[in-house]
Amino acid sequence: GQLPVWVFPRRLTTPTVIAPVLPVQAETVPDSDDDNLIPDDLEDPGDPPLNVVFGEPVSPEMVHANTTGANKRSRSLLATAMIVIVAAIGTGIGLGFGVRKQQPESKPTIVQDEEKDPICDPKNLLAKCTLKMPDGLLSRTDIPPDCKRRYDQLRDNWAHPPEFMALDYRACHPANMAMYSLAEGNDVYDDPITVNRFVLTTFFFAMHGNTWLRKGKWLSKHSVCDWYGINCTSGTNHIVGIDLQKNRLKGAIPTELVLLTDLTFFGAFENKIEGTIPTEIATMSSLETIDLEGNFLQGSIPTELFSMPSIWVIGLNFNELIGTIPTEIGLASNLELLRIDSNSLVGTIPSEIGLCTKLSGLGVSVNTLEGSLPYELQSLPLEEFEIGDSGISLNQIPPWLWRYSHLRILDLHKTGIQYFPTEIGLLTDLELMVLSNNRFRGTIPPSVILQLPKLEKLFMEKCELTGTIPSEIGYLTKMQSIRLSENSLTGNLPTEMGLLTNLEELRVFKNDFEGTIPTEVCDLWGSRLGAFGRLGDVDRCFPDPYGGLECPTRFCCQCS
């Protein structure tokens, strides 16, 4: 091989000088790939002056000497030069080896401060799978051999084989992506900490975690207990809660979630979760609360939910569920709250519901049920009872309803009631009363109003009400929202309304009022009133926003 340039000074690299010693160079100097080992004291000093050769001056007298003497001197000088060349070569080689011996034998320092290259590079795999999830396949060349080896080790050591074990190793399934993510640093896969990380990583990929609003520390090396929305018992790694409400989750609930055996709370309401509710959830014996309100869940309510021993809250309202309310509901002896309103459920409320002796909240509003209320409901300790627009008709309200003296929420809107039930006054703990879209054809009884001091929201729209608004309404100082629109109310708003300093919303459009809005009502704008004549804080006014009343000032009437 050719010698590195740094072995000799540049003035020794002319062909006439180097040619005789090239074999020596090739045999005595090893090859080197490290160009950074050149010491400063061997840097090229530059070309010598023209009148200097190897440190010897050349005089004019030497050039004009006689031929014989000149030849002798020439041969002598040439011999001397050859000796100098060999000596220089030996010195240079010695220096070269000396330099090499002085260098440390440790690894290059550039490696010490940098992280190792990823084995599987899950981010890259995920990017390639984005358009293929959940049924697509990666190509074989997408998965490095070392990554495949570690992936196989994890599968072989997996102590609780879930369904994904049957998947092709190239599958773009969320569980597969989680496995590749874990393959970066795990050789075994049967400890609880790794199982937790696997389940949550699968959940992240299944729920399109890259688009979440909040995902602090997810998929990082931090403890999963530090990941956003994850709750653990103090001082342990036992995951007891997942709370990811309003976080842009999108996708189907992965069955791997059941591996979180300590989970007690699963809350992901107001997202875009779709698909069916996995029946495997029933195996989660510690689960107490399922809150999936406001998603796009489809299919029927799994009967298995009601056989869960610890379940006491089921929130599935505002979804796209179909089918009937399972008779197995009677198995949920610890159930306290059932919210299945705003779906497309059919059939009746099963009588077995009477076996849920702890049930205090029942919501079945806005469905397509039929039949009447089961008699067995009367034995339940109800505090929330919502059956409005459920399909159940109440031509006559069952008398046992008035026994719920601790009832806080009552929704009977659009149930076919044809008279104002004065017995409502017996429900002295009532906070929310929804009676809209019925045919009362009468006045609002003042005596009833006086008996409801805790009332915060009163909804009686489209009830064919007549007469005036009772002045006694001023005693309901906790009132936050009043909706009396689209009736036939007359007179004016009572000045006593000015006492309702907690009032935030007042709807009275499309009535037969007369006169000018009282100053006392206008002054409520200085308290909490934010919606009067319009829809909340949206710049949208109702038609006839003040029910025929005139506006005293622009300040009072923002929809005039």
Side-chain angles (χ1 to χ4, degrees), residues 504-524:
E504 299 175 0
E505 178 188 44
L506 177 59
R507 292 188 187 182
V508 295
F509 63 90
K510 287 191 178 181
N511 274 289
D512 298 325
F513 295 123
E514 294 179 350
T516 303
I517 299 174
T519 303
E520 292 83 354
V521 175
C522 293
D523 290 342
L524 290 174

PDB file of all heavy atoms in Angstrom, residues 504-524:
ATOM      1  N   GLU A 504     -77.979  33.237  34.389  1.00  0.00           N
ATOM      2  CA  GLU A 504     -77.050  33.307  33.260  1.00  0.00           C
ATOM      3  C   GLU A 504     -77.770  33.288  31.919  1.00  0.00           C
ATOM      4  O   GLU A 504     -77.245  33.802  30.933  1.00  0.00           O
ATOM      5  CB  GLU A 504     -76.057  32.127  33.321  1.00  0.00           C
ATOM      6  CG  GLU A 504     -75.198  32.104  34.584  1.00  0.00           C
ATOM      7  CD  GLU A 504     -74.330  30.870  34.666  1.00  0.00           C
ATOM      8  OE1 GLU A 504     -74.400  30.033  33.733  1.00  0.00           O
ATOM      9  OE2 GLU A 504     -73.577  30.725  35.649  1.00  0.00           O
ATOM     10  N   GLU A 505     -78.960  32.685  31.875  1.00  0.00           N
ATOM     11  CA  GLU A 505     -79.680  32.549  30.618  1.00  0.00           C
ATOM     12  C   GLU A 505     -81.170  32.819  30.836  1.00  0.00           C
ATOM     13  O   GLU A 505     -81.766  32.307  31.782  1.00  0.00           O
ATOM     14  CB  GLU A 505     -79.478  31.133  30.058  1.00  0.00           C
ATOM     15  CG  GLU A 505     -80.228  30.877  28.753  1.00  0.00           C
ATOM     16  CD  GLU A 505     -80.167  29.425  28.325  1.00  0.00           C
ATOM     17  OE1 GLU A 505     -80.350  28.537  29.175  1.00  0.00           O
ATOM     18  OE2 GLU A 505     -79.931  29.178  27.130  1.00  0.00           O
ATOM     19  N   LEU A 506     -81.757  33.596  29.935  1.00  0.00           N
ATOM     20  CA  LEU A 506     -83.190  33.899  29.992  1.00  0.00           C
ATOM     21  C   LEU A 506     -83.751  33.850  28.576  1.00  0.00           C
ATOM     22  O   LEU A 506     -83.372  34.648  27.718  1.00  0.00           O
ATOM     23  CB  LEU A 506     -83.429  35.280  30.605  1.00  0.00           C
ATOM     24  CG  LEU A 506     -84.885  35.757  30.663  1.00  0.00           C
ATOM     25  CD1 LEU A 506     -85.748  34.789  31.462  1.00  0.00           C
ATOM     26  CD2 LEU A 506     -84.969  37.165  31.244  1.00  0.00           C
ATOM     27  N   ARG A 507     -84.634  32.886  28.332  1.00  0.00           N
ATOM     28  CA  ARG A 507     -85.272  32.750  27.023  1.00  0.00           C
ATOM     29  C   ARG A 507     -86.782  32.945  27.177  1.00  0.00           C
ATOM     30  O   ARG A 507     -87.445  32.150  27.858  1.00  0.00           O
ATOM     31  CB  ARG A 507     -85.015  31.358  26.430  1.00  0.00           C
ATOM     32  CG  ARG A 507     -83.575  31.086  26.044  1.00  0.00           C
ATOM     33  CD  ARG A 507     -83.489  29.756  25.301  1.00  0.00           C
ATOM     34  NE  ARG A 507     -82.116  29.354  25.041  1.00  0.00           N
ATOM     35  CZ  ARG A 507     -81.778  28.248  24.383  1.00  0.00           C
ATOM     36  NH1 ARG A 507     -82.733  27.431  23.913  1.00  0.00           N
ATOM     37  NH2 ARG A 507     -80.524  27.936  24.187  1.00  0.00           N
ATOM     38  N   VAL A 508     -87.290  33.970  26.522  1.00  0.00           N
ATOM     39  CA  VAL A 508     -88.741  34.250  26.570  1.00  0.00           C
ATOM     40  C   VAL A 508     -89.285  34.596  25.190  1.00  0.00           C
ATOM     41  O   VAL A 508     -90.373  35.163  25.070  1.00  0.00           O
ATOM     42  CB  VAL A 508     -89.042  35.395  27.562  1.00  0.00           C
ATOM     43  CG1 VAL A 508     -88.703  34.992  28.984  1.00  0.00           C
ATOM     44  CG2 VAL A 508     -88.273  36.659  27.153  1.00  0.00           C
ATOM     45  N   PHE A 509     -88.547  34.271  24.135  1.00  0.00           N
ATOM     46  CA  PHE A 509     -88.971  34.665  22.790  1.00  0.00           C
ATOM     47  C   PHE A 509     -90.258  33.942  22.388  1.00  0.00           C
ATOM     48  O   PHE A 509     -90.607  32.884  22.912  1.00  0.00           O
ATOM     49  CB  PHE A 509     -87.853  34.431  21.766  1.00  0.00           C
ATOM     50  CG  PHE A 509     -87.435  33.000  21.592  1.00  0.00           C
ATOM     51  CD1 PHE A 509     -88.050  32.183  20.651  1.00  0.00           C
ATOM     52  CD2 PHE A 509     -86.398  32.460  22.344  1.00  0.00           C
ATOM     53  CE1 PHE A 509     -87.657  30.871  20.465  1.00  0.00           C
ATOM     54  CE2 PHE A 509     -86.001  31.140  22.165  1.00  0.00           C
ATOM     55  CZ  PHE A 509     -86.631  30.342  21.233  1.00  0.00           C
ATOM     56  N   LYS A 510     -90.969  34.567  21.456  1.00  0.00           N
ATOM     57  CA  LYS A 510     -92.233  34.047  20.929  1.00  0.00           C
ATOM     58  C   LYS A 510     -93.280  33.830  22.033  1.00  0.00           C
ATOM     59  O   LYS A 510     -93.727  32.715  22.302  1.00  0.00           O
ATOM     60  CB  LYS A 510     -92.009  32.751  20.146  1.00  0.00           C
ATOM     61  CG  LYS A 510     -91.336  32.958  18.798  1.00  0.00           C
ATOM     62  CD  LYS A 510     -91.367  31.690  17.954  1.00  0.00           C
ATOM     63  CE  LYS A 510     -90.741  31.937  16.581  1.00  0.00           C
ATOM     64  NZ  LYS A 510     -90.784  30.732  15.729  1.00  0.00           N
ATOM     65  N   ASN A 511     -93.646  34.935  22.704  1.00  0.00           N
ATOM     66  CA  ASN A 511     -94.744  34.952  23.666  1.00  0.00           C
ATOM     67  C   ASN A 511     -95.625  36.159  23.351  1.00  0.00           C
ATOM     68  O   ASN A 511     -95.461  36.813  22.295  1.00  0.00           O
ATOM     69  CB  ASN A 511     -94.209  35.005  25.102  1.00  0.00           C
ATOM     70  CG  ASN A 511     -93.893  33.625  25.666  1.00  0.00           C
ATOM     71  OD1 ASN A 511     -94.785  32.830  25.958  1.00  0.00           O
ATOM     72  ND2 ASN A 511     -92.593  33.333  25.807  1.00  0.00           N
ATOM     73  N   ASP A 512     -96.561  36.475  24.222  1.00  0.00           N
ATOM     74  CA  ASP A 512     -97.489  37.592  23.995  1.00  0.00           C
ATOM     75  C   ASP A 512     -97.333  38.665  25.055  1.00  0.00           C
ATOM     76  O   ASP A 512     -98.298  39.261  25.544  1.00  0.00           O
ATOM     77  CB  ASP A 512     -98.943  37.063  23.992  1.00  0.00           C
ATOM     78  CG  ASP A 512     -99.187  36.066  22.879  1.00  0.00           C
ATOM     79  OD1 ASP A 512     -98.603  36.245  21.786  1.00  0.00           O
ATOM     80  OD2 ASP A 512     -99.937  35.091  23.091  1.00  0.00           O
ATOM     81  N   PHE A 513     -96.080  38.940  25.442  1.00  0.00           N
ATOM     82  CA  PHE A 513     -95.820  39.967  26.446  1.00  0.00           C
ATOM     83  C   PHE A 513     -96.138  41.359  25.890  1.00  0.00           C
ATOM     84  O   PHE A 513     -96.169  41.575  24.661  1.00  0.00           O
ATOM     85  CB  PHE A 513     -94.358  39.922  26.896  1.00  0.00           C
ATOM     86  CG  PHE A 513     -93.969  38.650  27.619  1.00  0.00           C
ATOM     87  CD1 PHE A 513     -92.921  37.852  27.155  1.00  0.00           C
ATOM     88  CD2 PHE A 513     -94.629  38.270  28.765  1.00  0.00           C
ATOM     89  CE1 PHE A 513     -92.562  36.697  27.815  1.00  0.00           C
ATOM     90  CE2 PHE A 513     -94.276  37.112  29.434  1.00  0.00           C
ATOM     91  CZ  PHE A 513     -93.239  36.322  28.964  1.00  0.00           C
ATOM     92  N   GLU A 514     -96.294  42.291  26.825  1.00  0.00           N
ATOM     93  CA  GLU A 514     -96.535  43.688  26.464  1.00  0.00           C
ATOM     94  C   GLU A 514     -95.717  44.583  27.381  1.00  0.00           C
ATOM     95  O   GLU A 514     -95.401  44.215  28.515  1.00  0.00           O
ATOM     96  CB  GLU A 514     -98.017  44.043  26.611  1.00  0.00           C
ATOM     97  CG  GLU A 514     -98.940  43.312  25.653  1.00  0.00           C
ATOM     98  CD  GLU A 514    -100.400  43.668  25.852  1.00  0.00           C
ATOM     99  OE1 GLU A 514    -100.713  44.335  26.867  1.00  0.00           O
ATOM    100  OE2 GLU A 514    -101.223  43.287  25.009  1.00  0.00           O
ATOM    101  N   GLY A 515     -95.389  45.782  26.874  1.00  0.00           N
ATOM    102  CA  GLY A 515     -94.669  46.756  27.685  1.00  0.00           C
ATOM    103  C   GLY A 515     -93.180  46.768  27.398  1.00  0.00           C
ATOM    104  O   GLY A 515     -92.709  46.257  26.371  1.00  0.00           O
ATOM    105  N   THR A 516     -92.438  47.332  28.337  1.00  0.00           N
ATOM    106  CA  THR A 516     -90.990  47.493  28.214  1.00  0.00           C
ATOM    107  C   THR A 516     -90.291  46.612  29.231  1.00  0.00           C
ATOM    108  O   THR A 516     -90.757  46.457  30.367  1.00  0.00           O
ATOM    109  CB  THR A 516     -90.599  48.961  28.449  1.00  0.00           C
ATOM    110  OG1 THR A 516     -91.306  49.779  27.506  1.00  0.00           O
ATOM    111  CG2 THR A 516     -89.109  49.171  28.270  1.00  0.00           C
ATOM    112  N   ILE A 517     -89.188  46.081  28.846  1.00  0.00           N
ATOM    113  CA  ILE A 517     -88.424  45.216  29.752  1.00  0.00           C
ATOM    114  C   ILE A 517     -88.060  46.008  31.008  1.00  0.00           C
ATOM    115  O   ILE A 517     -87.489  47.102  30.914  1.00  0.00           O
ATOM    116  CB  ILE A 517     -87.149  44.699  29.060  1.00  0.00           C
ATOM    117  CG1 ILE A 517     -87.502  43.864  27.832  1.00  0.00           C
ATOM    118  CG2 ILE A 517     -86.306  43.871  30.026  1.00  0.00           C
ATOM    119  CD1 ILE A 517     -86.312  43.441  27.008  1.00  0.00           C
ATOM    120  N   PRO A 518     -88.377  45.478  32.195  1.00  0.00           N
ATOM    121  CA  PRO A 518     -88.087  46.197  33.441  1.00  0.00           C
ATOM    122  C   PRO A 518     -86.595  46.482  33.609  1.00  0.00           C
ATOM    123  O   PRO A 518     -85.743  45.669  33.233  1.00  0.00           O
ATOM    124  CB  PRO A 518     -88.586  45.248  34.528  1.00  0.00           C
ATOM    125  CG  PRO A 518     -89.579  44.374  33.847  1.00  0.00           C
ATOM    126  CD  PRO A 518     -89.079  44.208  32.444  1.00  0.00           C
ATOM    127  N   THR A 519     -86.308  47.632  34.205  1.00  0.00           N
ATOM    128  CA  THR A 519     -84.918  48.004  34.458  1.00  0.00           C
ATOM    129  C   THR A 519     -84.217  46.975  35.332  1.00  0.00           C
ATOM    130  O   THR A 519     -83.031  46.677  35.137  1.00  0.00           O
ATOM    131  CB  THR A 519     -84.862  49.383  35.146  1.00  0.00           C
ATOM    132  OG1 THR A 519     -85.519  50.341  34.326  1.00  0.00           O
ATOM    133  CG2 THR A 519     -83.424  49.816  35.392  1.00  0.00           C
ATOM    134  N   GLU A 520     -84.985  46.406  36.293  1.00  0.00           N
ATOM    135  CA  GLU A 520     -84.397  45.412  37.195  1.00  0.00           C
ATOM    136  C   GLU A 520     -83.867  44.213  36.430  1.00  0.00           C
ATOM    137  O   GLU A 520     -82.848  43.611  36.812  1.00  0.00           O
ATOM    138  CB  GLU A 520     -85.442  44.955  38.218  1.00  0.00           C
ATOM    139  CG  GLU A 520     -85.853  46.014  39.232  1.00  0.00           C
ATOM    140  CD  GLU A 520     -86.916  46.955  38.690  1.00  0.00           C
ATOM    141  OE1 GLU A 520     -87.251  46.842  37.489  1.00  0.00           O
ATOM    142  OE2 GLU A 520     -87.413  47.792  39.460  1.00  0.00           O
ATOM    143  N   VAL A 521     -84.556  43.841  35.341  1.00  0.00           N
ATOM    144  CA  VAL A 521     -84.082  42.719  34.521  1.00  0.00           C
ATOM    145  C   VAL A 521     -82.855  43.138  33.723  1.00  0.00           C
ATOM    146  O   VAL A 521     -81.886  42.378  33.588  1.00  0.00           O
ATOM    147  CB  VAL A 521     -85.199  42.217  33.596  1.00  0.00           C
ATOM    148  CG1 VAL A 521     -84.673  41.140  32.656  1.00  0.00           C
ATOM    149  CG2 VAL A 521     -86.372  41.675  34.411  1.00  0.00           C
ATOM    150  N   CYS A 522     -82.887  44.357  33.199  1.00  0.00           N
ATOM    151  CA  CYS A 522     -81.726  44.858  32.443  1.00  0.00           C
ATOM    152  C   CYS A 522     -80.471  44.901  33.300  1.00  0.00           C
ATOM    153  O   CYS A 522     -79.359  44.648  32.816  1.00  0.00           O
ATOM    154  CB  CYS A 522     -82.025  46.250  31.894  1.00  0.00           C
ATOM    155  SG  CYS A 522     -83.315  46.292  30.630  1.00  0.00           S
ATOM    156  N   ASP A 523     -80.656  45.209  34.583  1.00  0.00           N
ATOM    157  CA  ASP A 523     -79.506  45.318  35.479  1.00  0.00           C
ATOM    158  C   ASP A 523     -78.803  43.972  35.698  1.00  0.00           C
ATOM    159  O   ASP A 523     -77.674  43.938  36.200  1.00  0.00           O
ATOM    160  CB  ASP A 523     -79.936  45.898  36.827  1.00  0.00           C
ATOM    161  CG  ASP A 523     -80.316  47.364  36.723  1.00  0.00           C
ATOM    162  OD1 ASP A 523     -79.933  48.003  35.717  1.00  0.00           O
ATOM    163  OD2 ASP A 523     -81.001  47.866  37.639  1.00  0.00           O
ATOM    164  N   LEU A 524     -79.471  42.882  35.343  1.00  0.00           N
ATOM    165  CA  LEU A 524     -78.853  41.572  35.510  1.00  0.00           C
ATOM    166  C   LEU A 524     -77.627  41.391  34.618  1.00  0.00           C
ATOM    167  O   LEU A 524     -76.803  40.505  34.854  1.00  0.00           O
ATOM    168  CB  LEU A 524     -79.870  40.451  35.216  1.00  0.00           C
ATOM    169  CG  LEU A 524     -80.988  40.281  36.247  1.00  0.00           C
ATOM    170  CD1 LEU A 524     -82.000  39.240  35.771  1.00  0.00           C
ATOM    171  CD2 LEU A 524     -80.408  39.885  37.597  1.00  0.00           C
TER     172      LEU A 524
END
